[in-house]
Amino acid sequence: MTAPARDIRACTTNQERARLVAEALDAHGAAALDFTGSSTKYSDRPAAQRMADLVKDPRPVLGDVAGAFRIALRRLYRTRNIILHGGATQGVALDASLRTAAPLVGAGLDRIVHAAYAEGLDPLDLAARAEVALQLVNGETGLSVVDLLEPV
């Protein structure tokens, strides 16, 4: 077992694990992560590069992510309107919009539920926290991408 793997196993929280991975990505880039034994190594490598870019310069990357999220949800909403108001259930956009938006919506709902159970936080309060965190990340406050949705 490598030293980083041992360090990660010794962590007691996901935030500690994320901080170790972020530090490794910051110090060594995407090469810090080893995917040699992974069956998904070809898709994991670009993901690792995106994460390394995020750790190095979070604001533009997070801006791109927020933009992609908005586009996916707008597309889903337009598709919903086509189905609901036009009765077109076989539209070409349906599969693509569901394939793109469903994982994002699922992850968002998971985060909302976790915040409600773990902190008693309402969804609008979580959204406000996220919006403020996006403005503060990597600034003079020292807020890291690892800390984005954690209580301040």
Side-chain angles (χ1 to χ4, degrees), residues 94-144:
L94 180 59
D95 287 342
S97 64
L98 287 175
R99 186 175 50 251
T100 305
L104 298 172
V105 171
L109 290 173
D110 287 348
R111 185 62 200 151
I112 289 168
V113 170
H114 179 269
Y117 282 126
E119 302 174 53
L121 199 62
D122 290 330
L124 287 178
D125 293 333
L126 179 65
R129 179 191 290 172
E131 194 64 37
V132 169
L134 285 173
Q135 300 303 317
L136 297 177
V137 70
N138 210 33
E140 59 193 39
T141 62
L143 186 68
S144 162

Side-chain angles (χ1 to χ4, degrees), residues 27-43:
H28 307 290
L33 305 180
D34 178 21
F35 299 113
T36 53
S38 172
S39 63
T40 58
K41 62 184 165 197
Y42 297 112
S43 61

Side-chain angles (χ1 to χ4, degrees), residues 83-95:
I83 292 168
L84 187 66
H85 301 298
T89 59
Q90 301 300 317
V92 294
L94 180 59
D95 287 342

